[in-house]
């Protein structure tokens, strides 16, 4: 029998951040969800990101929330995104290059946006 021992260390972390009102460009991390704490939330968020639909650049201002998916074991950022919640759902801006100068935009439906809001405990300001 061959297997891999689980060390209890997270292989995925979802970091939830918001723009700092006093320091432009600074993101304050308010919540971290790991696959060791809640595999279901991590899996569902990944499925939402996999089923998003590409849209043209919507030219939006400041995002409502920043969501990153990290692999702490590999010290790698897997997903670096910004979300803008809309009446129809949400727009996801996914960094597609080395900086935020290269961004691809996608939409998700209202149910998926509401799921994300619930899991990250989003509160409109």
């Amino acid at each position: 029998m061959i297997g891999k021992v689980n060390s209890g260390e997270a292989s995925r972390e979802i970091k939830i951040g918001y723009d700092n009102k006093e320091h432009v460009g600074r993101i304050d991390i308010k919540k971290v969800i790991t696959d060791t704490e809640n595999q279901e939330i991590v899996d569902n968020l990944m499925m939402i990101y996999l089923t998003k639909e590409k849209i043209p650049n919507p030219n939006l201002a400041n995002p409502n929330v920043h969501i990153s998916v990290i692999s702490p074991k590999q010290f790698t950022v897997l997903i670096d995104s910004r979300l803008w919640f809309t009446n129809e759902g949400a727009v996801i801006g996914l960094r597609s290059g080395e900086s935020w100068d290269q961004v691809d935009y996608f939409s998700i439906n209202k149910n998926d946006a509401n799921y994300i809001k619930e899991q990250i405990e989003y509160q409109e300001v």
Side-chain angles (χ1 to χ4, degrees):
M1 194 153 129
I2 299 174
K4 185 176 180 180
V5 177
N6 185 354
S7 66
E9 182 182 348
S11 65
R12 297 288 180 270
E13 287 182 351
I14 299 172
K15 293 187 177 190
I16 314 303
Y18 297 90
D19 288 328
N20 183 290
K21 303 286 185 214
E22 297 173 9
H23 299 94
V24 176
R26 187 167 110 186
I27 300 167
D28 296 329
I29 303 300
K30 298 294 184 181
K31 184 172 183 168
V32 177
I33 302 167
T34 66
D35 58 353
T36 55
E37 294 170 356
N38 198 323
Q39 184 71 50
E40 182 180 354
I41 293 173
V42 173
D43 289 347
N44 287 340
L45 187 76
M46 295 301 290
M47 286 305 299
I48 289 169
Y49 271 70
L50 287 171
T51 59
K52 63 199 178 309
E53 295 183 26
K54 190 158 179 63
I55 60 172
N57 184 343
N59 292 319
L60 297 168
N62 296 331
N64 297 109
V65 66
H66 299 259
I67 297 180
S68 297
V69 179
I70 312 289
S71 173
K73 289 181 180 180
Q74 301 298 322
F75 305 103
T76 305
V77 177
L78 303 172
I79 296 173
D80 197 4
S81 68
R82 298 172 174 172
L83 271 76
W84 293 263
F85 294 112
T86 66
N87 292 334
E88 296 80 31
V91 171
I92 298 173
L94 258 181
R95 194 181 77 185
S96 57
E98 291 189 22
S99 73
W100 279 102
D101 294 333
Q102 298 173 319
V103 181
D104 292 324
Y105 293 93
F106 303 87
S107 66
I108 59 172
N109 65 42
K110 193 172 191 89
N111 288 338
D112 288 344
N114 286 340
Y115 177 82
I116 291 172
K117 284 181 177 180
E118 181 181 326
Q119 300 311 315
I120 68 172
E121 300 170 356
Y122 177 75
Q123 296 183 12
E124 293 187 48
V125 186

